Short mmCIF file of all heavy atoms in Angstrom, two decimals:
data_model
loop_
_atom_site.label_atom_id
_atom_site.label_comp_id
_atom_site.label_asym_id
_atom_site.label_seq_id
_atom_site.Cartn_x
_atom_site.Cartn_y
_atom_site.Cartn_z
N ASP A 398 34.77 69.36 149.95
CA ASP A 398 34.66 68.90 151.33
C ASP A 398 33.25 68.48 151.70
O ASP A 398 32.95 68.27 152.87
CB ASP A 398 35.13 70.02 152.28
CG ASP A 398 35.41 69.52 153.69
OD1 ASP A 398 36.06 68.47 153.83
OD2 ASP A 398 34.95 70.17 154.66
N GLU A 399 32.37 68.34 150.71
CA GLU A 399 30.97 68.05 151.00
C GLU A 399 30.49 66.79 150.30
O GLU A 399 30.87 66.50 149.16
CB GLU A 399 30.09 69.22 150.59
CG GLU A 399 30.38 70.51 151.36
CD GLU A 399 29.51 71.67 150.93
OE1 GLU A 399 29.09 71.68 149.75
OE2 GLU A 399 29.25 72.55 151.75
N MET A 400 29.65 66.05 151.02
CA MET A 400 29.00 64.87 150.47
C MET A 400 27.51 65.16 150.33
O MET A 400 26.88 65.69 151.26
CB MET A 400 29.21 63.66 151.38
CG MET A 400 28.54 62.37 150.91
SD MET A 400 28.88 60.96 152.02
CE MET A 400 30.64 60.73 151.74
N PHE A 401 26.95 64.82 149.18
CA PHE A 401 25.53 65.04 148.92
C PHE A 401 24.87 63.68 148.72
O PHE A 401 25.34 62.87 147.91
CB PHE A 401 25.33 65.91 147.68
CG PHE A 401 25.91 67.29 147.81
CD1 PHE A 401 27.25 67.52 147.52
CD2 PHE A 401 25.13 68.35 148.25
CE1 PHE A 401 27.80 68.78 147.65
CE2 PHE A 401 25.67 69.62 148.38
CZ PHE A 401 27.01 69.84 148.08
N VAL A 402 23.79 63.43 149.46
CA VAL A 402 23.06 62.17 149.35
C VAL A 402 21.60 62.49 149.07
O VAL A 402 20.95 63.18 149.88
CB VAL A 402 23.18 61.33 150.63
CG1 VAL A 402 22.48 59.99 150.45
CG2 VAL A 402 24.64 61.13 151.02
N THR A 403 21.10 62.00 147.95
CA THR A 403 19.70 62.20 147.59
C THR A 403 18.90 60.98 148.00
O THR A 403 19.26 59.85 147.66
CB THR A 403 19.56 62.45 146.08
OG1 THR A 403 20.32 63.62 145.73
CG2 THR A 403 18.10 62.67 145.71
N GLY A 404 17.83 61.21 148.73
CA GLY A 404 17.02 60.11 149.23
C GLY A 404 16.37 59.30 148.13
O GLY A 404 16.04 59.83 147.05
N GLY A 405 16.20 58.02 148.41
CA GLY A 405 15.57 57.13 147.44
C GLY A 405 15.76 55.70 147.90
O GLY A 405 16.57 55.41 148.78
N PRO A 406 15.03 54.77 147.33
CA PRO A 406 15.08 53.38 147.80
C PRO A 406 16.45 52.74 147.57
O PRO A 406 17.08 52.96 146.53
CB PRO A 406 14.00 52.68 146.96
CG PRO A 406 13.84 53.54 145.74
CD PRO A 406 14.09 54.94 146.21
N LEU A 407 16.89 51.96 148.55
CA LEU A 407 18.09 51.16 148.43
C LEU A 407 17.70 49.72 148.10
O LEU A 407 16.57 49.30 148.35
CB LEU A 407 18.91 51.19 149.73
CG LEU A 407 19.38 52.55 150.24
CD1 LEU A 407 20.16 52.39 151.53
CD2 LEU A 407 20.21 53.27 149.19
N HIS A 408 18.64 48.99 147.55
CA HIS A 408 18.41 47.57 147.28
C HIS A 408 19.55 46.76 147.89
O HIS A 408 20.56 47.31 148.34
CB HIS A 408 18.28 47.31 145.78
CG HIS A 408 19.46 47.78 144.97
ND1 HIS A 408 20.69 47.18 145.01
CD2 HIS A 408 19.58 48.82 144.10
CE1 HIS A 408 21.52 47.81 144.21
NE2 HIS A 408 20.88 48.83 143.65
N GLY A 409 19.39 45.45 147.91
CA GLY A 409 20.42 44.58 148.46
C GLY A 409 21.62 44.47 147.55
O GLY A 409 21.67 45.05 146.46
N GLY A 410 22.61 43.73 148.02
CA GLY A 410 23.82 43.54 147.21
C GLY A 410 24.97 43.04 148.05
O GLY A 410 24.87 42.90 149.28
N ASP A 411 26.08 42.75 147.41
CA ASP A 411 27.30 42.29 148.05
C ASP A 411 28.24 43.48 148.23
O ASP A 411 28.61 44.13 147.24
CB ASP A 411 27.97 41.21 147.22
CG ASP A 411 27.13 39.95 147.10
OD1 ASP A 411 26.26 39.76 147.97
OD2 ASP A 411 27.34 39.19 146.14
N VAL A 412 28.61 43.74 149.48
CA VAL A 412 29.43 44.92 149.78
C VAL A 412 30.61 44.52 150.65
O VAL A 412 30.64 43.44 151.25
CB VAL A 412 28.59 46.01 150.50
CG1 VAL A 412 27.61 46.64 149.54
CG2 VAL A 412 27.86 45.43 151.71
#
Side-chain angles (χ1 to χ4, degrees):
D398 195 45
E399 297 179 331
M400 179 178 292
F401 298 85
V402 183
T403 300
L407 301 180
H408 56 71
D411 296 338
V412 289

